[in-house]
Amino acid sequence: MSAIKCIGILTSGGDAPGMNAAIRAVTRSAIYNGMTVKGIYRGYKGLITGEVETFNSQSVSNIIQRGGTILKTARCMEFKTPEGRKVAYDRLEAEKIDALVAIGGDGTLTGARIFAQEFNFPIVGLPGTIDNDLFGTDVTIGYDTALNTIIECVDKIRDTASSHERLFFIEVMGRDAGFLALNGAIASGAEAAIIPEISMETDQLSDMIETGFRKSKNSSIVLVAESEITGGAMGVAERVKKEYPQFDVRVSILGHLQRGGSPSAQDRILATRMGAAAIDALLDDQRNVMIGIQNDQLVYVPFSKAIKNDKPINRELLNTLRIVSM
């Protein structure tokens, strides 16, 4: 039987739809297994400032359908220092918290890994990020909802693009990964996607225009990942105005629209499965692992692999997009 009697749970970094479903699942699974649960507000910052509250089953009622995170989230520069992490550890000891479940993306898991190593403290991570860029899991919590939000927005923009015969560059999130841009382009019927994974290999804008894109269409939509590598939608649009002045160009930046909204059924189910699996992992004396999903099976992924390895884009999807956007 695990020696863990009390767990803490926090959300950190950018919020993602489905985080509340994960909080709910972790809390109720822990209580079901006889553990005490303490919610930590504002991520790692809350550990340092002592924003900790005991949770019961009722604490997480009626939240599965809500976007954002009831635990709030915040950036915390102090946690990046050894002194700050020591304060956080002292807080865990004072609260008699034996293990931690951290929900977030790359930065969250990086902080968890460093902390776990420094203090030999059990932590299980859940991949909560709309970017879908964590290695070792086919999909992350929040990605499906963000993708559906993008599709809804692009569908509306297409109506006006068609009416005015314009070329729209739509910027979506994905600083280091093009999953939202590529799959959003396929799902919305966009003509192309400009993503960071390919930008270092080829001039995507030049390739797109010189291959005769748009020759049979009166309007076109291109999704652009917000990355510095791609230049973002504004950067791409400026290039078109200079190099291809025949196009009537418009830019739309979706921004934080992509983070909001009620989570999809898929994200609610994924977050619930992962949340319950986090408690199972702790009961099995697992530590310093992220709960991932591969081929619909839950897996334990060491923090080192989830953080350090780049998640590859499916290049077959690029070819599919080229074919169906003719």
Side-chain angles (χ1 to χ4, degrees), residues 175-225:
R175 185 181 59 204
D176 301 309
F179 295 98
L180 285 172
L182 177 54
N183 287 294
I186 293 172
S188 63
E191 280 63 46
I194 297 179
I195 60 176
E197 291 89 339
I198 310 299
S199 288
M200 299 300 289
E201 303 171 11
T202 181
D203 186 340
Q204 294 177 83
L205 178 62
S206 177
D207 289 351
M208 178 182 73
I209 292 179
E210 290 175 10
T211 52
F213 113 110
R214 228 197 136 187
K215 60 188 175 185
S216 62
K217 302 181 179 183
N218 63 6
S219 68
S220 295
I221 288 178
V222 177
L223 267 60
V224 184

Side-chain angles (χ1 to χ4, degrees), residues 22-84:
I23 294 168
R24 174 180 179 269
V26 170
T27 299
R28 291 188 171 175
S29 295
I31 292 171
Y32 177 83
N33 284 283
M35 299 177 182
T36 301
V37 180
K38 294 193 176 182
I40 300 160
Y41 289 90
R42 294 174 180 81
Y44 295 124
K45 183 176 183 180
L47 269 183
I48 293 174
T49 58
E51 297 181 76
V52 182
E53 177 184 334
T54 300
F55 271 24
N56 56 33
S57 185
Q58 192 65 28
S59 302
V60 293
S61 293
N62 199 33
I63 68 170
I64 193 171
Q65 79 281 7
R66 291 169 58 182
T69 163
I70 63 165
L71 287 174
K72 311 298 182 186
T73 182
R75 308 290 180 184
C76 183
M77 297 306 295
E78 298 97 322
F79 195 77
K80 294 184 178 181
T81 68
E83 296 79 11

Side-chain angles (χ1 to χ4, degrees), residues 64 84 110 215 245 257 281 323:
I64 193 171
T110 297
K215 60 188 175 185
L257 274 173
I323 292 170

Side-chain angles (χ1 to χ4, degrees), residues 141-200:
I141 296 167
Y143 172 67
D144 183 70
T145 305
L147 194 56
N148 279 288
T149 298
I150 289 169
I151 293 167
E152 291 174 9
C153 292
V154 175
D155 287 348
K156 290 178 171 63
I157 291 171
R158 185 178 293 283
D159 291 341
T160 189
S162 299
S163 299
H164 294 275
E165 298 186 331
R166 286 171 174 161
L167 169 55
F168 265 88
F169 290 106
I170 302 176
E171 184 175 290
V172 300
M173 288 184 173
R175 185 181 59 204
D176 301 309
F179 295 98
L180 285 172
L182 177 54
N183 287 294
I186 293 172
S188 63
E191 280 63 46
I194 297 179
I195 60 176
E197 291 89 339
I198 310 299
S199 288
M200 299 300 289

